[in-house]
Structures are given as structure tokens and as C-alpha cells.
Amino acid sequence: MNAPARDTASPSRLAELRPLLSELMDLKRIRTPDHPDGLAAHGFRRAWAALASGMDPRSVALRETARALAAVRLGGLDMDVLQRAGLSPLDATRVLHRGLEAVAAPLDPGLRERLSVALSQPPEETCHVPPPLFVERLVRQPRAGATSPNRPRLLVPPLESHADHCYAVAVGAVLVAPRFGASPALPFMAGLSHHLFNAALPDAGYTGESLLGEWLEPIAKRLTDAALTALPEQLAGVVRQALALTGNVDSAEARAFNAADTLDRVLELEAHARAAGFTLRQAMEDLELIHPGPLQAFGNDVLRETEVWP
């Protein structure tokens, strides 16, 4: 059941979260040999596999959010990789907690504690069910880019997929949920599932939606219903309940989901704008590309002699 819509946090809460929400965009583009489609797509697959296996949506929401936040700093250094590298499960968990703690300062204290507990849970052993078929199609389905009727489409490579977007919205919804006094499970589920129809319908953006006009809503409903047939009955019911959060701000949960959706759409383009404006000065001064250590002075001398920097 949705909590009543109310504002219980200071207006600055979202501003405090903004840098972390921006960094979530990186998970769409961090790739590893194990996960060549990116960490966000991997999380999307993993979340749906857990849900299809019968895992409680609230547990999935907290665990995936904790994993995503750890990955903001650790990248592809997840539990599997760390254990393959020789760490014990306990030591690997300690590393993951360091990643979570490195970015957790702006989080609501209660949520921060729940995420820490979720990250400490042993890996799920029952997720032997593969993700539903629509998951791979959403991984392969690119987003439309920024579109507006009667204007050229703006495509900024690399294009994010619908899986990327949905995973980032789902995790973001958990992060902003305390701002609206919302429980996290349904906003997370709405994030994962609000583009199910795009598994079959290529994304033509706002322009395409405008041209579809009166046919958009029945098409989206028909294709969403078709996707839901791939889910166990109980899970399909939860997804339908979550999808009721879209298109309105009538409850705290709806506000959390729609806030996360809005933020992801804009912060995705902001990430591209930030990358386009990147300078060597930022790399050398802000990021200390030649890291502190025994070779730093030598490296800086080489760059100075070759007139690369400064």
C-alpha cells in the first residue's frame, strides 16, 4: 500500500543527493569483460532474475541499491571478482562496504543503515531462474535521445539502453524515497518496469509519442500486458501495482519514482555535457592523473620536458 503523499525532509535533501545521483550515470558506461554491456545493464538483469526467482522486491531494491552505490567507487570490483582474485567472502564484503561508505554521506541515515545491512547479506543462492525474455530486449533497445516535435533529434553517443535507464531510475528512486517519506520497494519496481512496452516498441521519443497520438496509450498497455505474461502471477501483480505510480504524484511512492525518472533523464545529458567540456587541466589538477607516490616527481618531470604539462 502506498504511503500518503507528504513532504517530510528539508528542500535541500535532493540537492545534497545530486552529486551521487550524477555519478550513477557512470554505471551505464563502466564495462568489464564479464559485463560488456555495462554495470547498469548487469544490475538490471540481476534484479529481474532475483525477482523472477521469488526474492522479495524490498530486499531486491535494497540489495541492488547497495551494490550500485558500492560500484560508483569500485566499478567492476564486485563480490565475484574479488573472490576470484583470492579474497575470502568476509574480506570481499569488507571491500564492498568501503565502496558504499565512500559515497554514503548524503544518504538518509536510516536508508544508509538498511543498505549496509543489505550489502552484508550472503549472495542469493536461489536465483537460478533466468531473467524474463523482455530483459535482454531492453538491454538491446537504445533510448531515443532528446527529441521534440518539429526539431531534429539529439543523439549523444554512447547511447544508453532502456535497461540502463530503468536500472538508474530504480536505484535513484530508492535514494530519493526518504525525501518524500516513501517506502522504497514500489518506486524501485516502477523504475525497473516503466518501459516494458519498449521491449517490443522501438523508442521514437517524445516526437514519436506525439505522432502516435491517440494510439500510444493502447499500444503501450497491450505491449506491457504481453511482457507481464512472462512473469509469475504474484510478481506480475506487484509490477502492475508499481506501474500505477507512473503519470501521477498522488502518493509518496509516486513522487519518489517520478522524481528519479526526471532526474535520470536530465542527469544523463548533463553527464554528456560534462564529458564534452572535460579539459586536461581537470585531469592533472583535480584528478591528479599522475598520482602521488614514488614515481610522481619523475612523471611530472617527463611531462614538463616534453612540454605536455604544464
Side-chain angles (χ1 to χ4, degrees):
M1 183 174 179
N2 293 351
R6 64 189 188 278
D7 280 346
T8 59
S10 69
S12 66
R13 177 64 60 80
L14 291 182
E16 293 169 0
L17 285 172
R18 184 261 174 87
L20 179 55
L21 292 167
S22 293
E23 288 195 75
L24 283 178
M25 304 302 106
D26 295 343
L27 302 187
K28 303 174 183 180
R29 286 168 275 278
I30 297 174
R31 291 169 167 78
T32 72
D34 292 326
H35 309 301
D37 297 311
L39 299 187
H42 172 53
F44 186 72
R45 290 185 178 108
R46 184 176 57 206
W48 275 112
L51 291 164
S53 297
M55 193 170 174
D56 174 62
R58 183 179 182 277
S59 297
V60 175
L62 293 174
R63 181 173 292 185
E64 284 301 327
T65 301
R67 287 169 166 173
L69 294 187
V72 165
R73 286 290 177 270
L74 291 171
L77 299 180
D78 60 15
M79 176 66 79
D80 290 341
V81 169
L82 292 170
Q83 288 189 253
R84 290 204 305 264
L87 270 63
S88 69
L90 180 59
D91 287 341
T93 300
R94 286 173 176 155
V95 172
L96 295 179
H97 273 279
R98 290 175 185 173
L100 174 61
E101 290 162 7
V103 299
L107 299 181
D108 171 82
L111 176 61
R112 185 164 59 237
E113 178 62 27
R114 292 194 295 275
L115 293 177
S116 180
V117 171
L119 198 59
S120 298
Q121 297 300 314
E124 57 275 10
E125 300 293 342
T126 58
C127 291
H128 303 305
V129 176
L133 292 178
F134 60 73
V135 169
E136 279 308 305
R137 293 188 63 87
L138 289 170
V139 170
R140 302 297 169 209
Q141 182 69 270
R143 298 271 286 164
T147 69
S148 182
N150 303 316
R151 292 180 179 273
R153 182 190 305 261
L154 175 63
L155 293 175
V156 187
L159 295 177
E160 64 174 336
S161 72
H162 274 284
D164 292 332
H165 168 69
C166 289
Y167 187 72
V169 172
V171 170
V174 175
L175 299 185
V176 304
R179 164 65 180 85
F180 300 100
S183 299
L186 278 184
F188 177 85
M189 292 298 298
L192 285 185
S193 58
H194 69 293
H195 280 285
L196 290 183
F197 60 91
N198 285 119
L201 190 71
D203 189 357
Y206 179 49
T207 296
E209 292 175 356
S210 299
L211 295 174
L212 281 171
E214 68 272 22
W215 292 294
L216 173 63
E217 187 173 341
I219 287 174
K221 183 181 186 307
R222 187 179 309 119
L223 295 177
T224 297
D225 288 343
L228 290 176
T229 62
L231 300 179
E233 184 176 352
Q234 183 175 354
L235 177 57
V238 173
V239 172
R240 287 191 178 92
Q241 187 180 2
L243 290 176
L245 304 181
T246 64
N248 69 84
V249 290
D250 297 337
S251 69
E253 282 70 25
R255 292 185 185 190
F257 160 72
N258 285 291
D261 187 36
T262 296
L263 286 164
D264 181 76
R265 284 186 285 139
V266 176
L267 292 176
E268 168 67 15
L269 289 179
E270 190 241 10
H272 287 289
R274 190 170 64 249
F278 183 77
T279 67
L280 183 58
R281 181 173 297 278
Q282 288 175 281
M284 299 304 296
E285 295 182 356
D286 298 344
L287 301 177
E288 283 194 288
L289 186 60
I290 308 303
H291 305 306
L295 296 178
Q296 186 180 48
F298 175 77
N300 285 332
D301 287 344
V302 169
L303 294 175
R304 193 175 298 109
E305 183 175 336
T306 52
E307 299 183 356
V308 173
W309 182 263

